[in-house]
Amino acid sequence: MQSDDANTRDSKLPHRYEPQKVEQKVYDYWMQGGFFAAKVDESKEPYTIVMPPPNVTGDLHLGHALDNTLQDVLIRRARMQGYEALWQPGTDHAGIATQHVVEKRLLQEEGISRRDMSRQDFVDEVWSWKDELEESIISTLQRMGASADWSRKRFTLDEGLSRAVQEVFVQLYEKGMIYRGDYLINWCPGCSTALSDIEVEHKDESGRLYHIEYPVLDSDGETVTVATTRPETMLGDTALAIYPDDERFAHLVGKTAVVPLVNREVPIIADHQVDPEFGTGAVKVTPAHDPDDFEMGLRADLPQVQVIGSDGNMTENAPDEYSGLPYSECRELVVGHLQQKGYLKKIEDHQHAVGHCYRCETGIQPLISRQWFVRMDELAEPAVQAVLDGRIRFIPERFNRVYLNWMDNIRDWCISRQLWWGHRIPAWYCQECDEVIVARQKPQMCPECCSDSLRQETDVLDTWFSSALWPFSTQGWPEETPEMEYFYPTDVLVTGWDIIPFWVARMIFSALEFTDDIPFSDVLIHGLVLDPQGRKMSKSLGNGVHPLEVVEEYGADALRFCMLFGNTPGNDMRFFWERAEAGRNFANKLWNACRFAIMHLPDDYQPAAVADLTLRPEDKWLLTRLAETIDAVDEYMHKYQLGEALKEIYEFSWSELCDWYIEMSKPRLSGDKKQDAEAARTVLLVGLRTVLKLLHPFMPFVTEELWDALPGEDSALITARWPQSDQLPRSQEASDRVTLWMAVIRCARNLRAEVNVSPAEQVQLSIIADAADREKLREARRHFSELAGVKELHLMDASSSPPEKALVDVVGNMRVALPLEGVVDLQQERQRLEKKLEDSLRMLQRSRNKLNNEQFVTKAPDEVVEQEKERLQDAKDQVENLRSRIKQISG
């Protein structure tokens, strides 16, 4: 349908961009077209990212939105660059977390405990939960635009990955790197399972430090005072210890002390592990309930008396009056008895770190328990070297230290969990001779006594044991599959800093051990998503935001924009709804620009080759800036500064393409000079197409829809070729020339705004400049008229004086003057400026008074004083500017 202007037509795009009507349609198009699918293609270079598998514990949060948006940007760009790009998706069974969620739901909804069910019935219940949650997780990821190869979706408990887990366990056991023994472990009474060291979160708490006197035998009534935060554990003390060089207690080493309340005689030993600065310098040793004490106990061959059980209650090893009590109640009773009997010297308030379960937040109990462990020394060394020699690099580099510090202090990994949900340990116990049999499949009989009475280990493996294999188990390992050969090792891992020891380190040492290769080359670390006040998002604070809330309000592209704009690697970011709104506004800006272009382009329009056109300076400027933008985006992407890359695209698109070039080209597009119009159409279309390509990885939905609407392209944007800057002509001279025009136009607009000149009113403008700048400005007269409302442009010699009663500003070496005679009421304007000057002088004096006040300067916080200094300088600048303006309009 033709519009009134014969040179334009109606746009087939609706007037407004409505993401809810576009996004599902576009995503269905991608899925039906198989654009996300990756295949082994030896003619192409592979590019692989494995998705950190979300836990099937609940809904996704904004941290997932950030993590997956970063990955999707990288994978979409690689796809456009011609790589065979695989984004490997999947989910994690998350043993302890998922079991905890399902147990809680069963208790709340059905009033039953896991213990009321058979193991298989409970596991079946968790599988049902997993199927429900996984569907929700995948749906959310897809609504956010994730272009993963969903045909390859894996689950850490699926058949193939379970086989990989068994293979790794058996191989490590056969190499002597997995062992079973009684050791002090972190026990969670809430989850009833062992935890590895990094699954324990330490929180600072206000507690008490109890000073208890221990009598020393054969020493004329001498006592030793020790300080402890856990007096109930004294019931399991088997020694006292002092630092070897501590002269205060040296005479007591080798003597015997008596444990109050239980009257147990225990040796006084010397050990370098004692901190002579803590408490009194002497410590009680409870090998069954403290990791440091456990190590001291092994060195001194001390007995291990366990007085707290796995349920958090006192055991039968405690005296009868305490046995069976919760440890917290026992603590109160023990303290009371110590006071009664005169053993409690004093109690102090004490701030200390207390270990909690990272899932249920129950206080951790160090207990001696029979568990399965992985020896870490041999595995850690090559994993450390891979980072030191640069084969694996962390971005930002500072996270190398986080990784290396943890690896340097690594302890054997407790891998067994007393759970029902997870990979059951492939070990069987002979009921006749107690032989332990580790095998890939259930053995028929005991190899030692030939009994067929075998019982499988009831424990499951730590969730991270299977997650550690994710980069290669998802590609078919231990089989030598084509995918393993082609897509592995992967290129980059995107993850949060908080799971470097949990997951990243374990993937590295597992891959080096079982594939003899690194799992990935780069590790891109991002921070947490915080609320506007800088707090973590949580249910308790009520400040959480579901990603789909943002999608439904502003669209998926706006969510992605919000997650990336201003984001820097490794740093936490704050979520602001205003930033999501800005993303929506950016999508609308591009939508309107494309609608404008389509109205000036025939349906079958094919642009001419740029080299064949006669280009104006503004055309050359835009193409030059477009090439520079491509280079800048490529450089930022190479450095994984995705937020800066998006910012570069945003600023070029909004300001230079939409606000400047389109406005400059409007008269040409509707004019009667065919060659000039053709040049403008071609450059506009090249600019829009290139911006859509650059922006597609970041905001894929709106860009794909606009790409389809623009004429001349039949293929999908998702597979379009990534822009190459060397395919665009550059002209520094034209770029400098148009940049000068824009600066003068901005100046003219500012001068108009300063005296509230109506946008409809045409004004005169005088520019005092040298011959070279005047020459550059002559051909821009029409732009001054159209973009700054200038009806008369006077170009004056550099030696000239500005017109009388004119506002004057400086642009480079030029002076730009806006004559006010006949444009504004000069008397009113002078009065207005004088009133502002009075206000500014008062502000200036107020700041001076404050800063001359010695009490304010010395007592106020430094940042408050600095703010006042800034106010003073602002006031000075304003006063100077207003005086200058009053002088100018006074003639």
Side-chain angles (χ1 to χ4, degrees), residues 514-560:
F514 294 101
T515 71
D516 199 29
D517 206 342
I518 56 174
F520 29 71
S521 303
D522 293 341
V523 183
L524 174 57
I525 299 294
H526 61 74
L528 306 177
V529 182
L530 309 175
D531 76 359
Q533 285 75 49
R535 302 171 301 176
K536 280 189 175 182
M537 293 186 174
S538 67
K539 289 182 180 178
S540 60
L541 289 174
N543 61 348
V545 176
H546 193 286
L548 293 188
E549 289 182 60
V550 186
V551 172
E552 286 160 7
E553 181 70 21
Y554 294 118
D557 287 327
L559 170 66
R560 294 164 69 105

Short mmCIF file of all heavy atoms in Angstrom, two decimals, residues 514-560:
data_model
loop_
_atom_site.label_atom_id
_atom_site.label_comp_id
_atom_site.label_asym_id
_atom_site.label_seq_id
_atom_site.Cartn_x
_atom_site.Cartn_y
_atom_site.Cartn_z
N PHE A 514 41.65 -38.66 33.42
CA PHE A 514 40.94 -39.67 32.62
C PHE A 514 40.93 -39.40 31.13
O PHE A 514 40.64 -40.31 30.35
CB PHE A 514 39.50 -39.82 33.14
CG PHE A 514 39.45 -40.39 34.53
CD1 PHE A 514 39.24 -39.58 35.63
CD2 PHE A 514 39.67 -41.74 34.73
CE1 PHE A 514 39.23 -40.10 36.90
CE2 PHE A 514 39.66 -42.27 36.01
CZ PHE A 514 39.44 -41.46 37.10
N THR A 515 41.24 -38.19 30.69
CA THR A 515 41.31 -37.93 29.25
C THR A 515 42.71 -37.48 28.84
O THR A 515 42.95 -37.27 27.65
CB THR A 515 40.30 -36.84 28.83
OG1 THR A 515 40.72 -35.56 29.32
CG2 THR A 515 38.90 -37.15 29.36
N ASP A 516 43.59 -37.29 29.81
CA ASP A 516 44.94 -36.82 29.55
C ASP A 516 44.93 -35.50 28.80
O ASP A 516 45.79 -35.22 27.97
CB ASP A 516 45.73 -37.87 28.76
CG ASP A 516 47.23 -37.64 28.85
OD1 ASP A 516 47.68 -37.09 29.87
OD2 ASP A 516 47.95 -37.98 27.90
N ASP A 517 43.91 -34.67 29.08
CA ASP A 517 43.80 -33.37 28.43
C ASP A 517 43.03 -32.44 29.36
O ASP A 517 42.33 -32.88 30.27
CB ASP A 517 43.05 -33.50 27.10
CG ASP A 517 43.43 -32.40 26.11
OD1 ASP A 517 43.99 -31.38 26.55
OD2 ASP A 517 43.15 -32.57 24.91
N ILE A 518 43.17 -31.14 29.10
CA ILE A 518 42.41 -30.17 29.88
C ILE A 518 40.94 -30.22 29.45
O ILE A 518 40.63 -30.54 28.30
CB ILE A 518 42.97 -28.75 29.70
CG1 ILE A 518 42.98 -28.37 28.21
CG2 ILE A 518 44.35 -28.64 30.32
CD1 ILE A 518 43.38 -26.93 27.94
N PRO A 519 39.99 -29.89 30.34
CA PRO A 519 38.57 -29.92 29.96
C PRO A 519 38.13 -28.69 29.19
O PRO A 519 37.14 -28.71 28.47
CB PRO A 519 37.86 -30.01 31.31
CG PRO A 519 38.78 -29.33 32.27
CD PRO A 519 40.18 -29.63 31.77
N PHE A 520 38.85 -27.57 29.37
CA PHE A 520 38.53 -26.31 28.71
C PHE A 520 39.76 -25.43 28.78
O PHE A 520 40.64 -25.63 29.63
CB PHE A 520 37.34 -25.60 29.37
CG PHE A 520 37.21 -25.90 30.85
CD1 PHE A 520 38.10 -25.39 31.78
CD2 PHE A 520 36.19 -26.71 31.31
CE1 PHE A 520 37.99 -25.67 33.12
CE2 PHE A 520 36.07 -27.02 32.66
CZ PHE A 520 36.97 -26.50 33.57
N SER A 521 39.82 -24.46 27.88
CA SER A 521 40.98 -23.56 27.84
C SER A 521 40.78 -22.33 28.70
O SER A 521 41.71 -21.87 29.36
CB SER A 521 41.25 -23.12 26.39
OG SER A 521 41.44 -24.22 25.55
N ASP A 522 39.57 -21.78 28.68
CA ASP A 522 39.28 -20.55 29.40
C ASP A 522 38.17 -20.79 30.42
O ASP A 522 37.23 -21.55 30.16
CB ASP A 522 38.83 -19.45 28.43
CG ASP A 522 39.95 -18.99 27.51
OD1 ASP A 522 41.14 -19.24 27.84
OD2 ASP A 522 39.65 -18.40 26.46
N VAL A 523 38.29 -20.13 31.55
CA VAL A 523 37.24 -20.16 32.57
C VAL A 523 36.80 -18.72 32.80
O VAL A 523 37.54 -17.92 33.40
CB VAL A 523 37.73 -20.78 33.90
CG1 VAL A 523 36.59 -20.86 34.90
CG2 VAL A 523 38.34 -22.16 33.66
N LEU A 524 35.62 -18.37 32.29
CA LEU A 524 35.09 -17.02 32.44
C LEU A 524 34.28 -16.96 33.74
O LEU A 524 33.26 -17.63 33.87
CB LEU A 524 34.21 -16.65 31.24
CG LEU A 524 33.48 -15.31 31.33
CD1 LEU A 524 34.46 -14.15 31.53
CD2 LEU A 524 32.63 -15.08 30.08
N ILE A 525 34.75 -16.16 34.67
CA ILE A 525 34.13 -16.07 35.99
C ILE A 525 33.23 -14.83 36.05
O ILE A 525 33.63 -13.73 35.67
CB ILE A 525 35.20 -15.98 37.10
CG1 ILE A 525 36.08 -17.24 37.09
CG2 ILE A 525 34.54 -15.78 38.46
CD1 ILE A 525 35.38 -18.51 37.46
N HIS A 526 32.02 -15.03 36.51
CA HIS A 526 31.13 -13.90 36.75
C HIS A 526 30.78 -13.83 38.23
O HIS A 526 31.01 -14.78 38.99
CB HIS A 526 29.85 -13.99 35.90
CG HIS A 526 29.02 -15.22 36.17
ND1 HIS A 526 28.25 -15.37 37.31
CD2 HIS A 526 28.85 -16.35 35.45
CE1 HIS A 526 27.64 -16.54 37.27
NE2 HIS A 526 27.99 -17.15 36.17
N GLY A 527 30.23 -12.70 38.64
CA GLY A 527 29.86 -12.52 40.04
C GLY A 527 28.42 -12.91 40.30
O GLY A 527 27.77 -13.59 39.49
N LEU A 528 27.93 -12.49 41.45
CA LEU A 528 26.55 -12.75 41.85
C LEU A 528 25.65 -11.62 41.38
O LEU A 528 26.09 -10.51 41.13
CB LEU A 528 26.46 -12.87 43.38
CG LEU A 528 27.40 -13.88 44.04
CD1 LEU A 528 27.23 -13.82 45.56
CD2 LEU A 528 27.13 -15.29 43.54
N VAL A 529 24.35 -11.92 41.25
CA VAL A 529 23.36 -10.89 40.96
C VAL A 529 22.72 -10.49 42.29
O VAL A 529 22.09 -11.31 42.95
CB VAL A 529 22.29 -11.39 39.97
CG1 VAL A 529 21.31 -10.27 39.67
CG2 VAL A 529 22.94 -11.87 38.68
N LEU A 530 22.91 -9.23 42.66
CA LEU A 530 22.42 -8.71 43.93
C LEU A 530 21.20 -7.81 43.71
O LEU A 530 20.91 -7.42 42.58
CB LEU A 530 23.53 -7.92 44.63
CG LEU A 530 24.89 -8.63 44.77
CD1 LEU A 530 25.91 -7.68 45.36
CD2 LEU A 530 24.77 -9.89 45.61
N ASP A 531 20.52 -7.51 44.79
CA ASP A 531 19.39 -6.59 44.66
C ASP A 531 19.90 -5.15 44.58
O ASP A 531 21.11 -4.90 44.70
CB ASP A 531 18.39 -6.81 45.81
CG ASP A 531 18.84 -6.22 47.14
OD1 ASP A 531 19.95 -5.65 47.21
OD2 ASP A 531 18.08 -6.33 48.12
N PRO A 532 19.02 -4.16 44.38
CA PRO A 532 19.51 -2.78 44.22
C PRO A 532 20.29 -2.25 45.41
O PRO A 532 21.09 -1.33 45.25
CB PRO A 532 18.21 -1.98 44.01
CG PRO A 532 17.26 -2.96 43.40
CD PRO A 532 17.57 -4.27 44.06
N GLN A 533 20.07 -2.82 46.60
CA GLN A 533 20.81 -2.39 47.79
C GLN A 533 22.13 -3.14 47.97
O GLN A 533 22.84 -2.93 48.95
CB GLN A 533 19.96 -2.57 49.05
CG GLN A 533 18.86 -1.54 49.21
CD GLN A 533 17.69 -1.79 48.26
OE1 GLN A 533 17.19 -2.91 48.16
NE2 GLN A 533 17.27 -0.75 47.56
N GLY A 534 22.45 -4.04 47.03
CA GLY A 534 23.69 -4.79 47.12
C GLY A 534 23.60 -6.02 48.00
O GLY A 534 24.62 -6.57 48.41
N ARG A 535 22.38 -6.49 48.27
CA ARG A 535 22.20 -7.68 49.10
C ARG A 535 21.95 -8.90 48.23
O ARG A 535 21.43 -8.79 47.11
CB ARG A 535 20.99 -7.50 50.04
CG ARG A 535 21.08 -6.29 50.97
CD ARG A 535 19.76 -6.08 51.70
NE ARG A 535 18.66 -5.86 50.77
CZ ARG A 535 17.38 -5.74 51.13
NH1 ARG A 535 17.06 -5.83 52.41
NH2 ARG A 535 16.45 -5.52 50.23
N LYS A 536 22.31 -10.08 48.76
CA LYS A 536 21.97 -11.31 48.07
C LYS A 536 20.45 -11.44 48.00
O LYS A 536 19.74 -11.03 48.91
CB LYS A 536 22.54 -12.53 48.81
CG LYS A 536 24.01 -12.78 48.55
CD LYS A 536 24.43 -14.12 49.15
CE LYS A 536 25.88 -14.46 48.81
NZ LYS A 536 26.27 -15.78 49.35
N MET A 537 19.98 -12.02 46.91
CA MET A 537 18.54 -12.25 46.79
C MET A 537 18.19 -13.55 47.50
O MET A 537 18.85 -14.57 47.32
CB MET A 537 18.14 -12.31 45.32
CG MET A 537 18.29 -10.99 44.60
SD MET A 537 17.64 -11.03 42.93
CE MET A 537 17.83 -9.31 42.45
N SER A 538 17.13 -13.50 48.32
CA SER A 538 16.75 -14.69 49.08
C SER A 538 15.27 -14.62 49.42
O SER A 538 14.66 -13.55 49.44
CB SER A 538 17.57 -14.79 50.38
OG SER A 538 17.24 -13.73 51.26
N LYS A 539 14.70 -15.80 49.72
CA LYS A 539 13.29 -15.85 50.11
C LYS A 539 13.07 -15.12 51.43
O LYS A 539 12.06 -14.46 51.62
CB LYS A 539 12.85 -17.32 50.24
CG LYS A 539 12.74 -18.05 48.92
CD LYS A 539 12.26 -19.48 49.12
CE LYS A 539 12.16 -20.22 47.78
NZ LYS A 539 11.73 -21.63 47.98
N SER A 540 14.03 -15.25 52.34
CA SER A 540 13.87 -14.64 53.66
C SER A 540 13.79 -13.11 53.56
O SER A 540 13.05 -12.47 54.32
CB SER A 540 15.01 -15.05 54.59
OG SER A 540 16.26 -14.63 54.06
N LEU A 541 14.55 -12.52 52.63
CA LEU A 541 14.51 -11.07 52.45
C LEU A 541 13.36 -10.63 51.56
O LEU A 541 13.01 -9.45 51.54
CB LEU A 541 15.84 -10.57 51.86
CG LEU A 541 17.07 -10.61 52.76
CD1 LEU A 541 18.31 -10.22 51.99
CD2 LEU A 541 16.89 -9.70 53.97
N GLY A 542 12.80 -11.58 50.80
CA GLY A 542 11.70 -11.24 49.91
C GLY A 542 12.12 -10.35 48.76
O GLY A 542 11.30 -9.62 48.20
N ASN A 543 13.40 -10.40 48.39
CA ASN A 543 13.91 -9.51 47.34
C ASN A 543 14.28 -10.24 46.06
O ASN A 543 14.94 -9.69 45.19
CB ASN A 543 15.13 -8.74 47.86
CG ASN A 543 16.28 -9.67 48.25
OD1 ASN A 543 16.11 -10.88 48.35
ND2 ASN A 543 17.45 -9.11 48.48
N GLY A 544 13.86 -11.50 45.96
CA GLY A 544 14.19 -12.28 44.77
C GLY A 544 13.34 -11.88 43.58
O GLY A 544 12.20 -11.43 43.72
N VAL A 545 13.91 -12.04 42.41
CA VAL A 545 13.19 -11.77 41.16
C VAL A 545 13.36 -12.99 40.25
O VAL A 545 14.48 -13.41 39.98
CB VAL A 545 13.74 -10.52 40.44
CG1 VAL A 545 13.05 -10.30 39.10
CG2 VAL A 545 13.59 -9.29 41.33
N HIS A 546 12.25 -13.56 39.80
CA HIS A 546 12.33 -14.68 38.88
C HIS A 546 12.60 -14.15 37.47
O HIS A 546 12.02 -13.13 37.07
CB HIS A 546 11.02 -15.47 38.89
CG HIS A 546 11.10 -16.81 38.22
ND1 HIS A 546 11.16 -16.95 36.84
CD2 HIS A 546 11.16 -18.06 38.72
CE1 HIS A 546 11.24 -18.23 36.53
NE2 HIS A 546 11.24 -18.93 37.66
N PRO A 547 13.47 -14.81 36.72
CA PRO A 547 13.76 -14.31 35.36
C PRO A 547 12.52 -14.11 34.51
O PRO A 547 12.45 -13.15 33.73
CB PRO A 547 14.66 -15.41 34.78
CG PRO A 547 15.29 -16.06 35.96
CD PRO A 547 14.29 -15.99 37.06
N LEU A 548 11.53 -14.99 34.67
CA LEU A 548 10.34 -14.87 33.83
C LEU A 548 9.48 -13.66 34.20
O LEU A 548 8.69 -13.21 33.37
CB LEU A 548 9.51 -16.16 33.89
CG LEU A 548 10.18 -17.40 33.28
CD1 LEU A 548 9.21 -18.56 33.23
CD2 LEU A 548 10.73 -17.11 31.87
N GLU A 549 9.64 -13.14 35.41
CA GLU A 549 8.96 -11.89 35.75
C GLU A 549 9.43 -10.78 34.81
O GLU A 549 8.63 -9.96 34.33
CB GLU A 549 9.26 -11.49 37.19
CG GLU A 549 8.61 -12.33 38.27
CD GLU A 549 8.94 -11.78 39.65
OE1 GLU A 549 8.60 -10.61 39.93
OE2 GLU A 549 9.56 -12.52 40.43
N VAL A 550 10.74 -10.75 34.57
CA VAL A 550 11.31 -9.73 33.69
C VAL A 550 10.90 -9.99 32.25
O VAL A 550 10.53 -9.07 31.51
CB VAL A 550 12.84 -9.69 33.82
CG1 VAL A 550 13.42 -8.53 33.02
CG2 VAL A 550 13.27 -9.59 35.28
N VAL A 551 10.93 -11.26 31.85
CA VAL A 551 10.55 -11.63 30.48
C VAL A 551 9.11 -11.22 30.20
O VAL A 551 8.80 -10.65 29.14
CB VAL A 551 10.75 -13.14 30.26
CG1 VAL A 551 10.17 -13.56 28.91
CG2 VAL A 551 12.22 -13.51 30.34
N GLU A 552 8.22 -11.50 31.14
CA GLU A 552 6.80 -11.19 30.91
C GLU A 552 6.54 -9.70 30.92
O GLU A 552 5.63 -9.22 30.25
CB GLU A 552 5.96 -11.91 31.97
CG GLU A 552 5.88 -13.42 31.70
CD GLU A 552 5.49 -14.23 32.92
OE1 GLU A 552 5.16 -13.61 33.96
OE2 GLU A 552 5.54 -15.47 32.84
N GLU A 553 7.33 -8.94 31.67
CA GLU A 553 7.12 -7.49 31.75
C GLU A 553 7.76 -6.77 30.56
O GLU A 553 7.13 -5.88 29.95
CB GLU A 553 7.71 -6.95 33.05
CG GLU A 553 7.53 -5.46 33.26
CD GLU A 553 6.09 -5.07 33.53
OE1 GLU A 553 5.31 -5.95 33.96
OE2 GLU A 553 5.74 -3.90 33.32
N TYR A 554 8.98 -7.13 30.21
CA TYR A 554 9.73 -6.37 29.20
C TYR A 554 10.26 -7.20 28.04
O TYR A 554 10.77 -6.63 27.07
CB TYR A 554 10.90 -5.66 29.86
CG TYR A 554 10.51 -4.59 30.84
CD1 TYR A 554 10.86 -4.68 32.18
CD2 TYR A 554 9.78 -3.47 30.43
CE1 TYR A 554 10.50 -3.69 33.09
CE2 TYR A 554 9.42 -2.48 31.32
CZ TYR A 554 9.78 -2.60 32.66
OH TYR A 554 9.43 -1.62 33.54
N GLY A 555 10.20 -8.53 28.14
CA GLY A 555 10.73 -9.38 27.07
C GLY A 555 12.07 -9.98 27.41
O GLY A 555 12.81 -9.47 28.26
N ALA A 556 12.39 -11.09 26.75
CA ALA A 556 13.64 -11.80 27.02
C ALA A 556 14.86 -10.97 26.63
O ALA A 556 15.89 -11.01 27.30
CB ALA A 556 13.66 -13.14 26.28
N ASP A 557 14.76 -10.23 25.53
CA ASP A 557 15.90 -9.41 25.12
C ASP A 557 16.21 -8.35 26.17
O ASP A 557 17.38 -8.03 26.43
CB ASP A 557 15.61 -8.73 23.77
CG ASP A 557 15.66 -9.71 22.61
OD1 ASP A 557 16.45 -10.66 22.67
OD2 ASP A 557 14.90 -9.52 21.64
N ALA A 558 15.18 -7.80 26.78
CA ALA A 558 15.39 -6.80 27.83
C ALA A 558 16.06 -7.43 29.05
O ALA A 558 16.93 -6.81 29.68
CB ALA A 558 14.06 -6.17 28.23
N LEU A 559 15.66 -8.66 29.39
CA LEU A 559 16.33 -9.37 30.49
C LEU A 559 17.80 -9.57 30.18
O LEU A 559 18.67 -9.31 31.03
CB LEU A 559 15.66 -10.72 30.72
CG LEU A 559 16.40 -11.68 31.67
CD1 LEU A 559 16.43 -11.14 33.09
CD2 LEU A 559 15.75 -13.07 31.65
N ARG A 560 18.10 -10.02 28.98
CA ARG A 560 19.49 -10.26 28.58
C ARG A 560 20.29 -8.96 28.59
O ARG A 560 21.43 -8.91 29.06
CB ARG A 560 19.52 -10.92 27.19
CG ARG A 560 18.91 -12.31 27.17
CD ARG A 560 18.60 -12.78 25.75
NE ARG A 560 19.82 -13.02 25.00
CZ ARG A 560 20.30 -14.23 24.70
NH1 ARG A 560 19.68 -15.31 25.11
NH2 ARG A 560 21.41 -14.35 24.00
#
